Every structure is written in C-alpha cells, then in structure tokens.
Amino acid sequence: NFMLTQPHSVSESPGKTVTISCTRSSGSIVSNFVQWYQQRPGGAPTIVIYEDNERPSGVPDRFSGSIDRSSNSASLTISGLKIEDEADYYCQSYDSITWVFGGGTKLTVL
Amino acid sequence: EVQLLESGGVLVQPGGSLRLSCAVSGFTPSSFAMTWVRQAPGKGLEWVATVGESGASTYYADSVKGRFSISRDNSKNTLYLQMISLRAEDTGLYYCARHSSNWGSFDFWGQGTLVTVSS
C-alpha cells in the first residue's frame, strides 16, 4: 500500500493564497484520482475537491486542485483566504480496494 | 437532502464487542457503496471498511481485518459495523460516509459516533 504525505501545518493571512501539498509514496499520482476534504473544528469532514480538480456544488471557486507528475504530488490551493477557511485539510486517494488518507494539514488563517 | 446518522458508540472494555449503526436518507441506498472512517482523538482520518451496493462485497483495512464486519440492510436504509475483540487503539470517532458513484471518494458524511475502549 502507498502513503500520502502532507505538511503538518501551514499559515497565511486573510486575502492571501495558500497551497497544501500531498505526495504519494509509491505508484503514480495519476494512477487514481485525488480528493481533498475540509474538517472544521468539531465538525465532520466535507469534500472540497474530487477527481483531482473538480469542485462539488457549493464549494467556492477559491478552492482548486492540481496534480504534478514530476513530484508525484497533488496540491490544494485556496485563494483569497477567509477566516472561515481555518480547518484541517486531508487529501485522499485509493488503489484497487484500499482507500488512503494523508495525515492532514492544519491551516491557520491569521 | 442526503443525511447519515450514526449511533451505537459507547464506552466498552478491552476485548469487548459493539455494533454501530448508520441510518441513511435522501438517496437510494442500493445505488451507492458505503464506508466507515474513524478518527482517533487528535489524529487524522483512517479508512476502516467498505461495503458494495448490494452488500455482497466487503473490504477492510488491515488494522481491523478479522475483528470488524461491515454489512447493510437496504430495506431498512441502515449500514452496520460489528466490532469484536476491541482494543484501546480502536478508540475514536466513527463516521459513516457514502461513496461517490465511481467509488473513489466519499461525498457525504455523518456527524460520527464516539467509541471509547478502556477499562
């Protein structure tokens, strides 16, 4: 099985842009789609990006996803940061019949 | 509106057993695979088990294989997780979630039910 590695934490100011990375340990990042979930304090996860770069209805276009084959990684970019974006973010992918989450990144907006 | 409501989480002793339930509404259960994901206190998300649309196919994380059993009753709109031989490391918030139509992601989540394994 593969692992997904994320930075433990990132911080940025309101109005700025932040990017969170997610690196796949083995196998190609393009083998299976990558998803991103937001988990606010005390809340359940909600999906913000699916299939690498698609946004569910209701997710603002400030959220975008991308894939970088050269680094075997996926990224979540949030532009025009708002205080309400402060949360934990998890990447997720799968391989055959196993679903894998990254360790999570705590985003602080200060 | 899609809704998932977990129940059954309690304090249980090591070695004990427990069955979690997840009542679903707002969609046709037999059209979607379902999953359990858990989160230990202060830790990240961990996939636990998945059951296919009809209940015939099941998949488990290595950490729970042989101890947990996932099942569903589509006539009752309910998903289950039977847990035996519980360990302290099974402590956490257990979420049920609906798989997307291609099984790759989890598009709707419940609010979770807390399982505590302690003597």
Side-chain angles (χ1 to χ4, degrees), chain B residues 28-107:
Chain B
T28 303
S30 58
S31 296
F32 294 89
M34 297 292 297
T35 208
W36 288 95
V37 173
R38 68 184 180 183
Q39 186 169 35
K43 302 297 184 182
L45 303 172
E46 179 188 15
W47 169 72
V48 173
T50 286
V51 60
E53 293 89 338
S54 69
S57 53
T58 56
Y59 311 95
Y60 299 93
D62 288 344
S63 58
V64 306
K65 203 170 293 183
R67 299 188 301 121
F68 289 13
S69 177
I70 188 171
S71 62
R72 64 193 299 166
D73 185 338
N74 289 334
S75 67
K76 295 183 178 179
N77 292 355
T78 305
L79 172 72
Y80 303 101
L81 185 67
Q82 178 70 49
M83 304 183 291
I84 67 171
S85 303
L86 282 162
R87 307 165 179 167
E89 54 265 35
D90 295 318
T91 293
L93 197 55
Y94 283 71
Y95 295 101
C96 69
R98 191 183 83 169
H99 273 269
S100 59
S101 55
N102 68 1
W103 285 48
S105 62
F106 311 111
D107 56 5

Side-chain angles (χ1 to χ4, degrees), chain A residues 35 37 39 44 51 90 92 99, chain B residues 39 95 102-106 110:
Chain A
Q35 282 64 232
Y37 302 87
Q39 186 178 33
E51 293 181 0
Y90 295 90
Q92 173 260 316
W99 289 264
Chain B
Q39 186 169 35
Y95 295 101
N102 68 1
W103 285 48
S105 62
F106 311 111

Side-chain angles (χ1 to χ4, degrees), chain A residues 11-100:
Chain A
S11 61
E12 191 48 272
S13 303
K16 300 291 189 179
T17 297
V18 70
T19 297
I20 299 171
S21 63
C22 170
T23 302
R24 180 164 172 156
S25 63
S26 61
S28 174
I29 192 70
V30 300
S31 296
N32 305 95
F33 288 124
V34 176
Q35 282 64 232
W36 291 90
Y37 302 87
Q38 177 191 67
Q39 186 178 33
R40 291 192 173 110
T46 60
I47 191 164
V48 293
I49 294 290
Y50 67 98
E51 293 181 0
D52 296 342
N53 54 17
E54 299 293 329
R55 275 188 315 277
S57 60
V59 174
D61 60 6
R62 301 185 297 104
F63 289 78
S64 62
S66 63
I67 298 293
D68 183 352
R69 291 174 184 248
S70 64
S71 60
N72 211 37
S73 65
S75 293
L76 172 69
T77 298
I78 310 172
S79 60
L81 275 170
K82 300 184 176 184
I83 298 295
E84 68 212 46
D85 297 330
E86 186 162 290
D88 293 327
Y89 290 86
Y90 295 90
C91 61
Q92 173 260 316
S93 190
Y94 52 95
D95 189 0
S96 184
I97 53 171
T98 301
W99 289 264
V100 178

